[in-house]
């Protein structure tokens, strides 16, 4: 008589005939061994989640279905949307009440997963983030905040912005004041070279603004020695004699190159000499 083949637990080798068992990767396990090897412990009650219980998992954590509850109100989260804060499970109502931002305009909760707009620690529903004047949604467009209200650029310019003296358009940021009149930075240019003057030294002549280079090249007197402009700006000193001028560093004896600043000197044609060298002429 041929003996029947044994059918034993893969782990403890006990016979499984007449017993409940579980197959895993084609290997049979008795209930006790399977639970000891593969079942998880519940995050809430810390007890084993048996084979006959429903195992609910989220991010490698496990719960009995009866233990899968909101940490605040204890309502079951089975088949319901939920959120997490640190390690806590919460229903969406409790999470919103505790942690979700409130809309700055309507003061209602901004639900998790919905689009919100943020600016300087304040939040809005997308539909509530509108221009205070035209009431059109601002979205991701540029805007200006004034007196705790938001305005699209067009409405802000129409209502509040100063007008640039040059281009006549509104100045929303980065303006320059010159002779008590407002300018855009990009409009406030040197009359000569047309470079921006904002942030650099400049001077004026006949109500027109010039960078220092252009002013010196166009209006400053030229040094009789080196022929470069003498700006006289910023407290720089120069020598003037009759109709000629010199930089301090250029006011030197033609022959011995000694500085004549504060000294007596003699002239011969267009040259200047110290008294000693002048005696040799």
């Amino acid at each position: 008589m041929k003996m029947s083949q044994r059918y034993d637990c893969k782990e403890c080798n006990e016979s499984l005939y007449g017993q409940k068992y579980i197959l895993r990767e084609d290997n049979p396990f008795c209930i006790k061994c399977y639970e000891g090897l593969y079942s998880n412990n519940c995050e809430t009650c810390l007890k084993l989640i048996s084979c006959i219980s429903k195992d609910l998992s989220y991010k490698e954590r496990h719960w009995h279905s009866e233990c899968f509850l909101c940490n605040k109100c204890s309502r079951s989260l089975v088949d319901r949307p939920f959120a997490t804060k640190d390690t806590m499970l919460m229903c969406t109502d409790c999470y919103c009440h505790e942690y979700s931002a409130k809309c700055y305009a309507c003061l209602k909760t901004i639900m998790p997963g919905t689009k919100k707009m943020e600016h300087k620690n304040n939040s809005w529903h997308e539909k509530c983030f509108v221009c205070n004047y035209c009431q059109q949604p601002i979205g991701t467009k540029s805007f200006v905040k004034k007196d705790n209200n938001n305005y699209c650029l067009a409405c802000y310019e129409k209502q509040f912005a100063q007008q640039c003296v040059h281009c006549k358009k509104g100045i929303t940021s980065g303006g320059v004041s010159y002779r008590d009149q407002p300018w855009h930075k990009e409009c406030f240019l040197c009359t000569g070279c047309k470079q921006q003057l904002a942030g650099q030294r400049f001077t004026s002549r006949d109500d027109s603004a010039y960078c220092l280079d252009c002013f010196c090249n166009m209006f400053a007197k030229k040094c009789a020695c080196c022929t470069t402009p003498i700006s006289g700006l910023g407290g720089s000193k120069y020598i003037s004699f009759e109709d000629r001028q010199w930089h301090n560093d250029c006011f030197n004896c033609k022959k011995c190159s000694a500085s004549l600043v504060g000294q007596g000197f003699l002239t011969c044609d267009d040259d200047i000499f110290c008294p000693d060298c002048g005696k040799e002429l």
Side-chain angles (χ1 to χ4, degrees), residues 103-106 110 115-120 122-145 148-152:
C103 176
Y104 187 80
C106 70
I110 301 175
K115 191 171 182 179
K116 68 177 179 179
M117 313 304 293
E118 294 181 312
H119 177 67
K120 291 187 176 180
N122 291 322
S123 302
W124 289 262
H125 292 107
E126 186 178 20
K127 66 179 181 180
C128 295
F129 191 58
V130 300
C131 171
N132 190 65
Y133 185 76
C134 68
Q135 295 299 307
Q136 295 301 307
I138 294 175
T140 57
K141 295 184 294 185
S142 297
F143 68 97
V144 178
K145 193 174 187 69
N148 292 323
N149 293 315
N150 300 319
Y151 297 88
C152 63

Side-chain angles (χ1 to χ4, degrees), residues 91-250:
C91 64
T92 53
D93 288 343
C94 289
Y95 183 88
C96 291
H97 179 75
E98 293 285 335
Y99 303 109
S100 289
K102 302 294 190 296
C103 176
Y104 187 80
C106 70
L107 304 181
K108 294 181 180 178
T109 297
I110 301 175
M111 298 296 289
T114 59
K115 191 171 182 179
K116 68 177 179 179
M117 313 304 293
E118 294 181 312
H119 177 67
K120 291 187 176 180
N121 299 320
N122 291 322
S123 302
W124 289 262
H125 292 107
E126 186 178 20
K127 66 179 181 180
C128 295
F129 191 58
V130 300
C131 171
N132 190 65
Y133 185 76
C134 68
Q135 295 299 307
Q136 295 301 307
I138 294 175
T140 57
K141 295 184 294 185
S142 297
F143 68 97
V144 178
K145 193 174 187 69
K146 180 178 175 62
D147 299 331
N148 292 323
N149 293 315
N150 300 319
Y151 297 88
C152 63
L153 290 185
C155 288
Y156 180 83
E157 290 179 5
K158 187 184 301 181
Q159 294 295 306
F160 306 109
Q162 290 182 308
Q163 303 298 309
C164 174
V165 171
H166 177 73
C167 69
K168 310 303 179 185
K169 295 181 180 179
I171 302 173
T172 57
S173 64
V176 174
S177 179
Y178 174 64
R179 294 187 181 275
D180 296 325
Q181 292 180 317
W183 302 67
H184 289 112
K185 283 185 177 180
E186 56 271 23
C187 293
F188 188 54
L189 307 177
C190 171
T191 304
C193 65
K194 306 304 180 185
Q195 296 298 309
Q196 284 191 28
L197 295 177
Q200 65 171 303
R201 294 176 64 195
F202 65 92
T203 188
S204 62
R205 184 183 178 93
D206 300 329
D207 293 333
S208 297
Y210 297 87
C211 67
L212 297 189
D213 288 342
C214 286
F215 182 84
C216 290
N217 289 330
M218 296 174 69
F219 304 112
K221 296 182 182 297
K222 303 298 189 292
C223 175
C225 177
C226 69
T227 71
T228 59
I230 301 173
S231 69
L233 299 172
S236 61
K237 295 181 180 180
Y238 64 96
I239 307 299
S240 180
F241 177 70
E242 295 180 345
D243 293 329
R244 292 184 293 169
Q245 289 78 32
W246 293 261
H247 295 106
N248 268 20
D249 292 340
C250 295

Side-chain angles (χ1 to χ4, degrees), residues 3 21 39 61 89 112 119 132 164 211 241 254 261:
M3 296 181 64
Y21 65 91
S39 291
R61 300 165 65 202
L89 296 173
H119 177 67
N132 190 65
C164 174
C211 67
F241 177 70
K254 177 68 175 179
V261 176

Side-chain angles (χ1 to χ4, degrees), residues 27-41:
N27 293 314
F29 293 88
C30 66
I31 299 299
K32 182 179 179 181
C33 287
Y34 182 87
E35 290 182 343
L37 290 171
Y38 302 112
S39 291
N40 300 295
N41 289 326

